[in-house]
Amino acid sequence: MGSTFFSLHYHVVFSTKDRQPIIHAEWRPRLHSYLGGIIKGMNGVAEIVGGVEDHVHLLGSLRPVHCVADVLRDLRKDSTNWVKDNFDRGFAWQEGYAAFTVSPSATDAVRNYTARQETHHRKGCFVDELKELLVKAGIAYEEKYLL
């Protein structure tokens, strides 16, 4: 076989430092677009980027050469600098993130979930959402690391 075939989709979630509600609605779409552009610049595909004032969801397709930790490090570093330069000098992302693999058959569900973030968060907070995602994925966690 002379080619490499792959389907690597990730649902990544990360929050602002101390989960502060500082991603303002006025510039949130620009941030989401910028995050997608960073992924595209890495030869990945940002299928959708969404979120609310204290966190971001990203459904992305990466290449086999990508290391998720490196992609997230660069994504968060570059976007932090961009937000600081354009909107909020004190902006920072929380240390850590959640990353889940997504089967091709589930990408539509994750895309729809990400698109409905504003409606979803009228009913609950980020920490409760994160707990639900971790439990659904079978990931053990310690409560102290979620607060």
Side-chain angles (χ1 to χ4, degrees):
M1 180 170 7
S3 294
T4 301
F5 303 98
F6 57 93
S7 176
L8 302 173
H9 305 275
Y10 298 91
H11 176 198
V12 181
V13 184
F14 51 98
S15 72
T16 58
K17 186 166 178 72
D18 299 323
R19 301 198 184 19
Q20 293 295 310
I22 57 175
I23 303 173
H24 298 288
E26 301 81 46
W27 52 268
R28 188 177 308 140
R30 289 183 61 195
L31 172 61
H32 294 168
S33 179
Y34 189 80
L35 291 166
I38 294 170
I39 296 295
K40 183 177 180 181
M42 295 177 182
N43 293 317
V45 176
E47 298 180 36
I48 187 169
V49 181
V52 292
E53 61 273 350
D54 65 349
H55 70 282
V56 167
H57 289 258
L58 187 147
L59 174 62
S61 301
L62 300 177
R63 302 188 61 74
V65 297
H66 286 123
C67 169
V68 174
D70 292 345
V71 168
L72 267 290
R73 179 198 61 223
D74 294 346
L75 178 76
R76 290 163 17 125
K77 182 180 121 191
D78 291 351
S79 61
T80 295
N81 291 334
W82 182 80
V83 172
K84 284 182 174 186
D85 289 345
N86 292 282
F87 302 107
D88 183 342
R89 295 292 309 153
F91 185 85
W93 294 114
Q94 180 81 10
E95 196 173 317
Y97 56 88
F100 309 96
T101 55
V102 180
S103 69
S105 62
T107 56
D108 283 343
V110 174
R111 190 177 293 106
N112 291 334
Y113 178 79
T114 300
R116 294 188 322 268
Q117 280 296 294
E118 290 192 30
T119 302
H120 175 75
H121 282 286
R122 290 184 193 135
K123 300 174 188 170
C125 71
F126 172 68
V127 172
D128 291 340
E129 175 185 42
L130 182 57
K131 287 179 189 178
E132 185 178 315
L133 290 170
L134 292 170
V135 168
K136 187 175 179 181
I139 299 173
Y141 63 91
E142 290 185 43
E143 189 83 22
K144 68 182 179 180
Y145 294 116
L146 302 181
L147 303 176

